[in-house]
Amino acid sequence: MKSVFKSSRHAVNNFRLTGKVVVWMMDTVRTVLLGDDNGDDVFFVRYAFEAAGLPGTLRVVRDGDEVIEYLLGRGEYADRKRFPEPHLLLLDLKMPG
C-alpha cells in the first residue's frame, strides 16, 4: 500500500479517523502486550499510544521467554485479573530469548 501522507503525524491523524484498527482499539479498553528489550522503543510506543489517545493497558515484557510466560499465563503472569490476555501483541523480532 502506497502512503499518501506527507508526515507521520498526518498519517496518525488520518488513520485515527478512518482506520479500522484504531476504531477497534477505541471502542473499549484493550490490553496490548509489547515485547521489547530496548527502553527507548518502549518509551516511544508509550508516547505514541498516549498521543493518539488510545485507551487501554500497555504491558511490557523484556524478552521472548517473558512473552511466552505472559501469553501462557504462567509464573508471575498467572493472575489474569492483573495480567489479562492481550488483544494485540507488538513484538521486537530481534530481542533475546
Side-chain angles (χ1 to χ4, degrees):
M1 182 166 100
K2 183 178 175 185
S3 176
V4 295
F5 301 114
K6 295 180 177 127
S7 71
S8 59
R9 184 178 185 96
H10 182 73
V12 168
N13 288 338
N14 279 288
F15 191 69
R16 188 178 335 161
L17 296 174
T18 60
K20 291 180 182 176
V21 172
V22 175
V23 170
W24 169 80
M25 289 291 296
M26 295 184 92
D27 68 350
T28 186
V29 174
R30 303 282 185 175
T31 299
V32 177
L33 179 60
L34 172 61
D36 202 319
D37 61 329
N38 184 312
D40 292 337
D41 291 343
V42 172
F43 170 81
F44 286 115
V45 170
R46 284 188 196 278
Y47 180 81
F49 271 63
E50 290 173 13
L54 296 174
T57 302
L58 182 64
R59 301 283 182 185
V60 178
V61 293
R62 300 296 179 165
D63 63 40
D65 293 331
E66 272 191 85
V67 170
I68 292 169
E69 291 296 306
Y70 190 105
L71 292 173
L72 294 176
R74 289 194 281 192
E76 68 178 291
Y77 305 110
D79 182 359
R80 284 300 183 195
K81 290 196 187 286
R82 281 186 52 210
F83 303 103
E85 290 184 3
H87 295 90
L88 177 66
L89 173 62
L90 301 175
L91 190 59
D92 173 5
L93 297 178
K94 294 183 181 179
M95 72 178 167

